[in-house]
């Protein structure tokens, strides 16, 4: 695969001055501020960890080291994600001379930071749902550490490789591939067929989002540009390449800055959640007392939960009167088998009723969850997770269409129990936001040049930049609301290609071939990398 940046291509007269602006050396004061924020963030992270470790009564040295290393690698993934993906937000404002390069990058970093802080967490747990159920239940074990290290290291390695060649590959695509590789390797190591190592229904959902979003970006950006040509026919300067360093008209410049801001914010809100989900997985495995269950649940919510649990059990017993015979371990294995195989048996609903009843009893016996010890919290969280995943699977398969009242009641119950386990503490959002925001300010030039110069055969125009960014902002924002991980890189790059095609500006064939190769190879490459790393690390931990 040839480096995209090795190609030479001449645009308008402003390209020389623009390159000079992008190549300006960093001021010492800017470097010092960057380092101050970086080390302040790390200090805040260690302060939070210290308090939590003291709360659980201390950890052995090896576990503390593994915890710190795992968290730093997770934050490293978000940092790399930041400088890998920042081009998608700033390329248009830089190449239309709407903002100076350095200011644009800092501006983008600020709104990536804010996007992470206000994110919902839905995407975070959507990513975790791709992982094998047995690894999630035992994430604090050796295999759990091997899983976390393997998938994060594989994602970082591939992101750095594609960044080096200036290729706008997808961090989301990479992470999904890494998770799939770990799941498949885990299944094979345990003597099961490879296809049982991944929740293929969830992969299909995520895969469709990653596949369709670039097509949406290409098509809608092209249509929007054509509509703009009709509506703004009296302002032909919007559809011409910028001349020298002249900024665009005020209103179009404001629109370009607005879309840069929106894409940065949406990128932070969507992509930042992937790191948050993995960090929560690490924290839950090692510090379950602090992070296994949501301590902010009120006594009133606990009472409501207990009442709803009792009602659900009664409904299941009415529909499936035969009681489940076996231990709680047998019950849990029944649920695990169903989640892995998607094959429902007559024992499933009775087993689910027993499981819900046991969860209810544990919570009502100790309504103050902060008083539970490590083992109790881990067991309770795993039970809640198994219950929620079983109900989700029943809903996905429409397994209770003949029992709509039970199906609705179970769905409502799942939403209740998700509140007890699917939460993101504020400090986790802050450190991930810092990692992503600071990452946008480092190493951004390689992919900015690809997006701004190498996709089309002519210089990016004001209207093309605005059209591509508007569509990217809307698409990513909608995906965040629906809890779908999409690729900012793919949506924006395909949007620019769509505007080039609609404007008949031409596209650079070699660049598109390289982009397509990166898109096609990302999934198998990440799967192979993470699978091999997991296999190696499973012998170490």
């Amino acid at each position: 695969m040839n480096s995209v940046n090795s190609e030479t291509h001449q645009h308008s007269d402003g390209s020389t001055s623009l390159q000079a602006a992008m190549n300006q050396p960093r001021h010492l004061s800017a470097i010092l501020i960057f380092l101050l924020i970086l080390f302040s963030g790390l200090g805040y992270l260690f302060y939070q960890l210290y308090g939590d470790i003291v709360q659980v009564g201390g950890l052995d040295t090896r576990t503390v080291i593994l915890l710190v290393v795992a968290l730093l690698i997770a934050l490293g993934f978000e940092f790399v994600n930041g400088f890998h993906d920042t081009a998608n937000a700033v390329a248009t404002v830089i190449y239309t001379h709407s903002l100076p390069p350095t200011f644009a990058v800092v501006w983008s970093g600020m709104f990536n930071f804010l996007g992470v802080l206000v994110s919902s967490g839905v995407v975070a747990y959507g990513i975790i749902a791709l992982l094998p159920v047995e690894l999630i239940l035992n994430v604090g074990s050796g295999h759990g550490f091997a899983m976390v290290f393997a998938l994060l290291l594989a994602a970082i390695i591939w992101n750095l490789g594609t960044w080096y060649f200036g290729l706008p590959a997808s961090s989301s695509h990479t992470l999904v591939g890494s998770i799939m590789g770990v799941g498949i390797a885990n299944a094979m190591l345990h003597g099961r067929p490879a296809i049982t190592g991944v929740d293929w229904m969830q992969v299909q959902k995520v895969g469709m989002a990653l596949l369709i979003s670039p097509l949406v970006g290409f098509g809608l950006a092209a249509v929007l540009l054509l509509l703009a040509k009709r509506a703004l026919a009296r302002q032909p300067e919007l559809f011409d390449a910028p001349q020298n360093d002249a900024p665009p008209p005020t209103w179009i410049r404001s629109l370009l800055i607005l879309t840069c801001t929106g894409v940065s914010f949406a990128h932070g809100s969507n992509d930042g959640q992937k790191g948050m989900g993995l960090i929560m997985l690490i924290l839950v495995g090692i510090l379950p007392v602090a992070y296994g269950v949501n301590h902010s649940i009120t006594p009133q919510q606990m009472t409501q939960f207990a009442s709803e649990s009792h009602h659900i059990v009664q409904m299941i017993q009415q529909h499936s009167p035969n009681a489940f015979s076996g231990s709680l371990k047998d019950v849990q294995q029944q649920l695990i088998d169903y989640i892995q195989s998607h094959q429902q048996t007559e024992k499933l609903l009775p087993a689910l009723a027993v499981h819900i009843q046991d969860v209810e009893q544990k919570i009502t016996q100790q309504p103050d969850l902060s008083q539970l010890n490590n083992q109790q919290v881990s067991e309770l969280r795993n039970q809640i997770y198994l219950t929620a995943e079983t109900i989700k699977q029943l809903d996905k398969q429409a397994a209770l269409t003949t029992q709509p009242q039970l199906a609705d009641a179970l769905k409502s119950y799942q939403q209740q129990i998700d509140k007890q386990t699917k939460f993101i503490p504020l400090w986790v959002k802050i450190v991930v936001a810092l990692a992503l925001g600071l990452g946008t300010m480092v190493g951004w030039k390689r992919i900015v040049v690809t997006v701004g110069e190498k996709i089309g055969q002519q210089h990016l125009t004001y209207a093309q930049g605005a059209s591509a960014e508007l569509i990217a902002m809307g698409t990513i924002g909608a995906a965040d609301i629906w809890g779908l991980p999409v690729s900012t890189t793919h949506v924006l790059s395909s949007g620019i290609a769509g505007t080039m095609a609609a404007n008949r500006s031409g596209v650079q064939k070699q660049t598109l071939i390289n982009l397509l190769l990166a898109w096609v190879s990302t999934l198998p490459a990440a799967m192979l990398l993470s699978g091999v790393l997991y296999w190696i690390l499973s012998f170490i931990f």
Side-chain angles (χ1 to χ4, degrees), residues 4 25 41 46 50 122 152 164 167 211 220 229 259 261 329 344 346 372 393 406-407 416 443 458 463 482 484 521:
V4 173
F46 291 131
Y50 177 77
V122 177
L152 284 173
Y164 179 80
L167 292 169
L211 177 64
L220 292 186
K229 276 194 166 187
T259 55
T261 303
K329 187 175 180 180
Q344 184 178 352
E346 61 181 14
L372 300 177
Q393 201 68 257
L406 177 59
Q416 287 287 330
Q458 297 179 19
W482 292 329
L484 295 172
S521 60

Side-chain angles (χ1 to χ4, degrees), residues 16 199 202 214 247 286 295 352 362 368-369 388 417 435 472 487 528 531:
T16 303
D199 183 347
Q202 184 71 9
I286 301 176
H295 295 161
L352 181 60
K362 286 178 177 174
D368 185 358
L369 299 181
I417 59 177
S487 167
L528 181 61

Side-chain angles (χ1 to χ4, degrees), residues 295-342:
H295 295 161
S296 65
I297 298 295
T298 64
Q300 291 79 6
Q301 289 172 315
M302 285 293 186
T303 302
Q304 180 184 353
F305 169 75
S307 174
E308 196 162 346
S309 299
H310 187 67
H311 178 61
I312 289 288
V313 170
Q314 286 184 327
M315 291 185 70
I316 293 176
Q317 288 173 344
Q318 288 174 0
H319 289 284
S320 303
N322 295 327
F324 185 89
S325 58
S327 65
L328 183 61
K329 187 175 180 180
D330 295 329
V331 167
Q332 291 177 346
Q333 192 58 52
Q334 184 75 29
L335 301 188
I336 291 172
D337 290 343
Y338 172 64
I339 293 169
Q340 290 178 333
S341 68
H342 304 163

Side-chain angles (χ1 to χ4, degrees), residues 4-238:
V4 173
N5 287 324
S6 66
E7 302 175 14
T8 58
H9 187 75
Q10 295 297 321
H11 287 296
S12 64
D13 295 336
S15 61
T16 303
S17 59
L18 179 58
Q19 288 294 332
M22 289 197 291
N23 289 325
Q24 283 184 346
R26 304 268 183 179
H27 292 293
L28 178 60
S29 58
I31 295 174
L32 290 176
I33 292 172
F34 178 91
L35 291 175
L36 176 63
I37 297 173
L38 174 63
F39 286 111
S40 297
L42 290 174
Y44 179 59
L45 167 67
F46 291 131
Y47 171 77
Q48 291 290 338
L49 284 180
Y50 177 77
D52 293 330
I53 290 171
V54 170
Q55 179 186 348
V56 301
L59 298 173
D60 62 86
T61 304
R62 177 180 179 274
T63 303
V64 172
I65 292 172
L66 288 175
L67 171 62
V68 171
V69 172
L71 291 177
L72 290 178
I73 292 175
L75 292 174
F77 167 76
E78 285 299 343
F79 187 85
V80 172
N81 186 4
F83 72 70
H84 190 278
D85 287 3
T86 189
N88 306 299
V90 302
T92 52
V93 290
I94 290 175
Y95 276 87
T96 57
H97 306 301
S98 298
L99 288 175
T102 301
F103 185 86
V105 170
V106 174
W107 183 263
S108 176
M110 288 170 52
F111 282 91
N112 266 282
F113 177 89
L114 292 174
V116 177
L117 288 185
V118 302
S119 58
S120 63
V122 177
V123 174
Y125 286 100
I127 283 288
I128 289 178
L130 293 171
L131 292 165
V133 61
E134 67 269 23
L135 288 182
I136 294 178
L137 296 178
N138 298 288
V139 70
S141 66
H143 281 290
F145 276 117
M147 169 193 71
V148 171
F149 283 122
L151 67 90
L152 284 173
L153 287 174
I156 290 172
I157 290 168
W158 185 252
N159 271 353
L160 286 175
T162 51
W163 165 81
Y164 179 80
F165 287 105
L167 292 169
S170 165
S171 297
S172 302
H173 208 163
T174 304
L175 187 58
V176 169
S178 298
I179 290 172
M180 291 176 65
V182 166
I184 290 170
N186 180 68
M188 294 174 69
L189 282 174
H190 287 84
R192 301 198 311 269
I195 59 172
T196 64
V198 178
D199 183 347
W200 291 103
M201 292 181 70
Q202 184 71 9
V203 168
Q204 184 180 13
K205 177 183 174 182
V206 172
M208 287 300 293
L210 291 171
L211 177 64
I212 293 173
S213 54
L215 302 178
V216 170
F218 184 95
L220 292 186
V223 169
L224 184 58
L225 180 69
L226 294 175
L227 291 174
K229 276 194 166 187
R230 281 180 172 270
L232 303 171
R234 295 182 181 180
Q235 294 182 285
E237 68 275 9
L238 299 179

